[in-house]
Amino acid sequence: MTKITVAKGDGIGPEIMDATLNILKAAGAQLDIEPIEIGEQVYLKGYSSGIAPESWESLQRTKVFLKAPITTPQGGGFKSLNVTTRKTLGLYANVRPCISYSPYVATKHPVMNVVIIRENEEDLYAGIEHQQTDEVTQCLKLITQPGTEKIVRFAFEYAKAYGRKKVTCFTKDNIMKLTDGLFHKTFEKIASEYPDLESEHWIVDIGAAKLADTPERFDVIVMPNLYGDILSDVAAQITGSVGLGGSANIGADYAMFEAIHGSAPRIAGQDAANPSGLLLGAVQMLVYINQPEIAEEVHNAWLKTLEDGVHTYDLFKEGISTKKVGTSGFADAVIERLGQKPEKLEPVSYDAESNHQIQGTFQQLTPAKKELVGVDIFLHWNGENRDPNVLGDMLSKFSSGPFEIQLITNRGVKVFPDGLPETFCTDHWRCRFTSEKMDKAASYEHVIKLSQLITEAGLDIIKTENLCRFDGEIAFSLGQGQ
Ligand code: NAD
């Protein structure tokens, strides 16, 4: 018996969870279920994340969470339960298989079998945002070496465990050379540890276009959080239906399994919803808790049900479907087919011997020699027609140690010295102080002294960002605009 925590959620949640659990039970899954309440009622009781403290205790006990969708109440003050759960439980990997079931589910891409592996904790989702000036807001994009190594290694380990052939990486490192550059570099390094697997990298824009156009050329795709968030929905949709997608969120100690769709309140309580997304999430859970035989039996019975044309309303099509069923009728049809394999669709097989608790590990870095060689001082300045030369002349008066003004940019475009008068300027200025060749080491005292001089001159410092060399290499964008 494996202990799991189950939440039935809101809207169609209870119906699709009952259907899913009935199928798992009939297949002989060894589950010891702890139910918890999450979602709308819990939010309305005053828990801002939609989950009560005692529910965390259940998760700490079981470490495995099967979760139905919830409804987030309208209005402010409510935090996303999904984001809270991912962060609290350290669920760094989001795994979303996106598979076509043509001709049973209409799709423009009948040959599609892609698994999107999305980094789940970092990137722009760290939630560090600031309004810095009247006109400018900022969101910090954090990409870390341990976070990237974990997700990339996870993707390769996943490909190995599931007999897949190729891992593709999407980034935008032609623009974000440090952050996405770290992701891409890490991908290349880890790919070399898996010589039996093909690997490739695409810039995310053209990669996304190829994914939407010819998904059959992809196998496993790993990407940072934001690209993964968007493209995993695109990939699920182009299989023909997001209603069939299940996903896993995996961490070092915890895992959560769910459908990718929401609580669909309009069809709730009508025994109409398709339980397939949650069921496929539960299949991933069975593999994870090392019950691969049950996972295989359930998955194949589900494929057989689909190809027999027993469909819920969302998939039902005259000529292809043979029987329209509701949520519970669909579950009964899957149960009737336990032990059978599909004849037209490809049957699945979950290797009993392979690694089911896939993890991405990372290596501790040896700290580099870090030298401070400059500082970017960000100013909120709205003076004299926003003329960069006026600001530049003011800042030319200040120096501290080796630091002198070298450059001012506005939204990343160089405006001083020798800017173009046509450049549109906001009230947000990045002022770079270094030595001319950015090679003279200084100390933070110099930053403090410079900041003091600038503040005393009545200028408004938003923030400072240190410019460093790591082992002699420049470790900041040169940022002079395109
Ligand atoms: P939704 O995914 O719930 O529903 C969109 C439409 O898709 C529905 O009207 C229905 O026609 C169809 N649909 C979805 N699931 C289906 C199923 N299993 N069977 C048949 N048809 C299905 O999206 P929404 O209406 O935008 O969101 C409703 C609520 O769900 C919102 O409160 C949203 O915040 C929440 N939500 C929760 C999760 C989650 O808990 N993981 C994810 C997404 C949305």
Side-chain angles (χ1 to χ4, degrees):
M1 281 282 176
T2 305
K3 272 187 188 297
I4 65 166
T5 299
V6 166
K8 291 194 172 181
D10 300 314
I12 58 171
E15 298 157 72
I16 61 173
M17 183 60 85
D18 286 343
T20 297
L21 293 177
N22 286 343
I23 296 168
L24 300 194
K25 202 167 146 205
Q30 299 294 301
L31 302 173
D32 178 2
I33 291 170
E34 288 195 13
I36 61 166
E37 204 191 333
I38 56 164
E40 200 169 19
Q41 292 313 313
V42 185
Y43 278 113
L44 297 176
K45 275 184 207 155
Y47 297 108
S48 66
S49 301
I51 179 164
E54 55 274 22
S55 300
W56 290 116
E57 288 164 24
S58 168
L59 288 168
Q60 278 163 352
R61 261 192 309 276
T62 67
K63 304 191 184 329
V64 180
F65 189 15
L66 181 62
K67 172 183 162 290
I70 60 154
T71 304
T72 311
Q74 299 290 319
F78 301 113
K79 288 196 243 163
S80 157
L81 175 64
N82 263 6
V83 174
T84 306
T85 314
R86 279 176 200 156
K87 290 197 170 170
T88 310
L89 304 182
L91 308 178
Y92 63 86
N94 183 271
V95 181
R96 192 181 282 192
C98 301
I99 300 163
S100 296
Y101 304 99
S102 178
Y104 310 102
V105 179
T107 167
K108 295 187 184 98
H109 302 289
V111 188
M112 176 173 178
N113 188 340
V114 177
V115 180
I116 308 266
I117 298 192
R118 160 190 173 195
E119 198 290 320
N120 226 0
E121 293 183 294
E122 302 191 343
D123 196 355
L124 290 154
Y125 292 67
I128 307 174
E129 290 195 292
H130 302 94
Q131 178 167 358
Q132 299 186 316
T133 68
D134 292 313
E135 294 177 357
V136 178
T137 52
Q138 172 195 269
C139 176
L140 275 189
K141 174 172 166 114
L142 296 178
I143 302 283
T144 73
Q145 173 263 337
T148 306
E149 275 202 20
K150 280 196 311 190
I151 194 69
V152 172
R153 209 167 258 117
F154 182 98
F156 279 95
E157 285 296 318
Y158 181 95
K160 209 168 90 176
Y162 286 88
R164 289 181 172 264
K165 303 278 177 287
K166 181 166 80 172
V167 183
T168 303
C169 174
F170 285 177
T171 72
K172 187 81 185 171
D173 68 333
N174 55 332
I175 302 295
M176 284 160 278
K177 294 186 168 69
L178 284 180
T179 46
D180 280 23
L182 173 60
F183 202 96
H184 184 180
K185 254 192 331 209
T186 306
F187 177 78
E188 298 295 345
K189 185 184 90 175
I190 291 172
S192 69
E193 298 170 16
Y194 297 86
D196 295 342
L197 291 168
E198 204 186 319
S199 65
E200 63 175 9
H201 171 266
W202 287 90
I203 298 294
V204 60
D205 38 29
I206 186 64
K210 295 257 180 212
L211 175 65
D213 184 54
T214 43
E216 61 275 14
R217 68 175 314 290
F218 295 101
D219 194 344
V220 173
I221 315 180
V222 62
M223 48 192 132
N225 205 342
L226 178 62
Y227 313 141
D229 188 0
I230 298 166
L231 293 181
S232 61
D233 266 21
V234 172
Q237 181 66 36
I238 66 174
T239 64
S241 169
V242 273
L244 298 185
S247 89
N249 294 271
I250 309 284
D253 302 308
Y254 294 89
M256 174 172 86
F257 302 87
E258 60 184 344
I260 65 177
H261 59 73
S263 59
R266 265 175 299 184
I267 55 164
Q270 297 164 30
D271 191 33
N274 185 347
S276 297
L278 185 60
L279 183 67
L280 292 179
V283 165
Q284 289 198 61
M285 177 190 77
L286 289 170
V287 176
Y288 177 85
I289 60 175
N290 208 5
Q291 299 188 23
E293 298 85 359
I294 311 283
E296 187 174 309
E297 189 175 351
V298 170
H299 201 158
N300 281 328
W302 176 80
L303 287 166
K304 181 83 171 82
T305 309
L306 209 59
E307 72 172 27
D308 283 348
V310 182
H311 294 163
T312 41
Y313 82 94
D314 53 315
L315 301 184
F316 190 85
K317 242 195 186 114
E318 292 295 346
I320 289 178
S321 308
T322 54
K323 191 175 174 194
K324 194 186 226 170
V325 285
T327 314
S328 52
F330 185 82
D332 291 343
V334 175
I335 291 168
E336 275 165 30
R337 288 164 179 78
L338 286 168
Q340 298 181 34
K341 287 194 171 159
E343 285 149 30
K344 297 179 195 101
L345 293 167
E346 183 79 20
V348 296
S349 114
Y350 293 110
D351 185 351
E353 302 309 315
S354 79
N355 175 13
H356 302 131
Q357 292 226 346
I358 296 160
Q359 284 298 331
T361 52
F362 69 96
Q363 284 158 2
Q364 205 75 47
L365 289 180
T366 316
K369 179 168 179 254
K370 183 179 175 189
E371 290 168 293
L372 182 71
V373 295
V375 61
D376 278 345
I377 297 189
F378 290 78
L379 297 178
H380 179 177
W381 184 70
N382 207 9
E384 290 196 41
N385 303 321
R386 297 189 182 173
D387 179 346
N389 294 314
V390 172
L391 182 61
D393 289 344
M394 282 164 76
L395 296 176
S396 301
K397 297 190 192 101
F398 307 124
S399 67
S400 175
F403 298 162
E404 290 181 338
I405 187 77
Q406 303 292 339
L407 171 79
I408 301 175
T409 65
N410 198 294
R411 293 191 301 171
V413 180
K414 183 172 124 179
V415 292
F416 175 87
D418 309 323
L420 293 175
E422 291 83 8
T423 304
F424 176 78
C425 289
T426 68
D427 54 1
H428 182 278
W429 309 81
R430 190 268 302 263
C431 310
R432 175 158 290 181
F433 288 83
T434 63
S435 57
E436 204 182 330
K437 292 190 177 146
M438 298 185 284
D439 58 352
K440 294 206 173 91
S443 78
Y444 196 66
E445 302 291 311
H446 296 113
V447 175
I448 294 171
K449 185 174 158 224
L450 192 59
S451 306
Q452 202 167 10
L453 292 170
I454 290 173
T455 307
E456 282 166 6
L459 290 165
D460 178 1
I461 297 180
I462 302 162
K463 69 164 189 175
T464 63
E465 196 79 56
N466 292 341
L467 306 177
C468 296
R469 284 178 182 264
F470 282 73
D471 284 342
E473 295 285 326
I474 284 185
F476 45 91
S477 57
L478 292 175
Q480 299 181 24
Q482 275 70 46

